[in-house]
Each structure stands twice: as C-alpha cells, then as structure tokens.
Amino acid sequence: SLSAAAPTSALDWVRSPNGQQLGEHGSCAAALLPADDDVVLVLPPRAVSWHQVALPKVAGSRLRAALDGLLEDRLLADTAELHFALGNLFRRRGDFERAVRVHQHLLERADLKAVDRHRAQHALADDFMKAGLFDRAEAAYKALQTRYPFGRYTEQSMLDISYCFFRSAEREQALSTLDRFIRTYPNHPNVDYAYYLKGLVHFREDQGILGYVYELDLAQRDPKEMRASYAAFKELTTRFPDSQYYQDSVARMRYLVN
C-alpha cells in the first residue's frame, strides 16, 4: 500500500493494488493504519533533514561505516527528537557505545529543555543497562532520581535500578527499592513487574551467582526465602491475571511447592 505522511499526528493513507492505481483511502493515527504487506512512507520536504557531506577517500568496503559516522556527526547538531530517535536506533541495533555518545551529547546541550534532559538522562541509563554495565547504569539512574525526583522517567527508573541491583547481586538494595516503589506507586501500570522482580530476588537470593547458571535442589534452599518468593508471585498472579509475567510466576510457584 502507499502511505503519505502528514506533519501532524494524523496520517493520510491510500491503498494501491499495484503501486500505480489508487484504491480506498483515509486519514488516521499511525497506530490505526490498515495492515498490509508493503508500506511506502512519503515524507513532505519540510519533514526531511538534508545534509551535504564530503565523502572520505576510503575503500568501498569501509565507505558505509565512514558515511554512518559522518551523518551521525551532522545529525548531532539537529533537534532533540532526532537525537532520541538516533539513540534508540543504535540501542536496538546493539551499538551501545554510539547510543551512549548521542545521549551524552544531548545532556551537554545548555539549551535542552528540562523535560528532554530528564528523558535523556533516563535514556543514557537505559543504554548502560542494556549493555550489561550495571554499575554505570546504577549511577545514571541514581543521578536521575536525585536531579529529577518526580516524573514518569523517575518512577520507571526505580524498577530499572532494582533490576540492576538484582543482576549485581545487591539483594537488600533491590528489595528495599521494590518495596518503596510498591508503597509509593501501588497503581503504577508496571507494578506487576515490581512483584515479579521481587519474587525473582527471593527466588535466587540463596543461590548466589550460580543461580544464573542452574537451579539448586529445593532441599538446599532457605525456606524463608522460598516463602517470600512464593508470596510475591502469589500477589502478582492474584492481582494481575493478565500480566505478561503471570505464566512464569505460576511455573515458579509450582516449582517452589513441589
């Protein structure tokens, strides 16, 4: 199908059986666009950022990487939204070093709006977490919570830093942060994850680093931790039967009682 993008939140769309003839058409939000096998996005000139660059003299096999670097350098001077889009793209591709560089560059901008600075700090912490650099992620999330004690990114950062604590075997910090999150935001849309992660912390606490390799025999486990883990998973399955963590929680509860 052939889609034409308007600069507003609504998109004009038109279907084509062969790319030449036009069929049904309409206008709607991006999430409501009709599904199809092929989609062509047509951008108006004002929605495109143009950059003239001098191509380096390098071998053809290295030209793509060199061009990527040149374009990134030019884009870094563009709008904040472009930074966020570029940083998220790099993170999804697993190019965490470049994602970090983009978000750090954003934070260095004196003209950055407060809401975007808040968002960039959270994105930087996410870069570190996705890269498995949990100590640096913890520091970035703590900086976020200190500088911006309120807001949706700060709330989410409590869950994110709890995961970092969990992966770094910092049990007490993970549990205290999760308990504080549950008390403070009992109606948060991700509170089910807080119960799930709390159950995991207790589930693996007595296994140490080996818990990430294999499960110990139940007879070797701390009964107190087993009960605490079961209670957290039970709370999740009782209160959130539609949670994406429901099935795994049920499986772990069965494992704990068998």
Side-chain angles (χ1 to χ4, degrees):
S1 72
L2 183 65
S3 299
T8 62
S9 57
L11 298 176
D12 295 326
W13 61 269
V14 59
R15 275 189 161 148
S16 172
N18 54 17
Q20 296 179 348
Q21 297 175 317
L22 301 182
E24 59 179 313
H25 58 87
S27 179
C28 64
L32 301 178
L33 285 173
D36 216 325
D37 293 334
D38 298 304
V39 176
V40 178
L41 182 65
V42 180
L43 294 174
R46 60 182 174 274
V48 179
S49 179
W50 297 97
H51 301 271
Q52 183 175 358
V53 299
L55 294 179
K57 296 181 179 180
V58 297
S61 59
R62 298 174 54 195
L63 182 59
R64 177 60 183 271
L67 184 57
D68 279 350
L70 281 172
L71 289 176
E72 180 185 343
D73 289 341
R74 294 302 182 101
L75 290 174
L76 285 177
D78 217 313
T79 65
E81 281 302 321
L82 193 55
H83 276 73
F84 288 122
L86 194 61
N88 290 336
L89 174 64
F90 288 149
R91 188 194 303 143
R92 288 197 303 271
R93 285 168 41 177
D95 195 345
F96 301 115
E97 183 178 348
R98 294 174 77 181
V100 166
R101 190 161 71 244
V102 168
H103 293 131
Q104 285 178 331
H105 183 275
L106 256 182
L107 290 169
E108 291 170 358
R109 287 176 49 172
D111 62 339
L112 191 65
K113 296 178 181 178
V115 63
D116 287 334
R117 190 170 299 278
H118 189 185
R119 180 181 173 189
Q121 181 66 41
H122 186 258
L124 178 62
D126 281 353
D127 294 338
F128 289 136
M129 181 176 69
K130 296 294 185 181
L133 302 173
F134 298 116
D135 55 339
R136 298 184 68 178
E138 289 175 20
Y141 286 128
K142 288 177 180 177
L144 172 68
Q145 294 169 8
T146 300
R147 297 170 189 166
Y148 313 100
F150 306 103
R152 66 188 184 96
Y153 294 111
T154 302
E155 295 172 8
Q156 180 61 37
S157 74
M158 293 179 67
L159 294 177
D160 296 328
I161 198 173
S162 297
Y163 177 78
C164 293
F165 288 144
F166 168 57
R167 292 301 306 272
S168 301
E170 299 176 73
R171 172 183 180 273
E172 294 301 330
Q173 292 93 323
L175 290 175
S176 63
T177 304
L178 289 168
D179 285 338
R180 187 168 72 254
F181 179 88
I182 292 171
R183 289 195 307 270
T184 308
Y185 308 109
N187 298 317
H188 192 277
N190 294 330
V191 72
D192 59 331
Y193 175 73
Y195 285 108
Y196 177 71
L197 187 54
K198 184 176 179 181
L200 288 183
V201 174
H202 287 295
F203 191 84
R204 295 182 180 274
E205 185 276 338
D206 57 311
Q207 300 179 37
I209 192 64
L210 294 180
Y212 295 104
V213 181
Y214 60 87
E215 304 287 358
L216 295 182
D217 185 87
L218 282 175
Q220 303 176 35
R221 306 196 59 193
D222 184 347
K224 181 179 178 181
E225 292 300 323
M226 293 171 62
R227 289 194 294 271
S229 179
Y230 185 93
F233 291 134
K234 180 65 175 178
E235 185 76 13
L236 186 156
T237 56
T238 301
R239 293 183 55 190
F240 308 100
D242 297 326
S243 169
Q244 61 179 309
Y245 309 106
Y246 179 88
Q247 293 298 333
D248 189 67
S249 298
V250 170
R252 291 178 184 275
M253 289 167 63
R254 289 172 181 163
Y255 174 82
L256 288 168
V257 299
N258 290 334

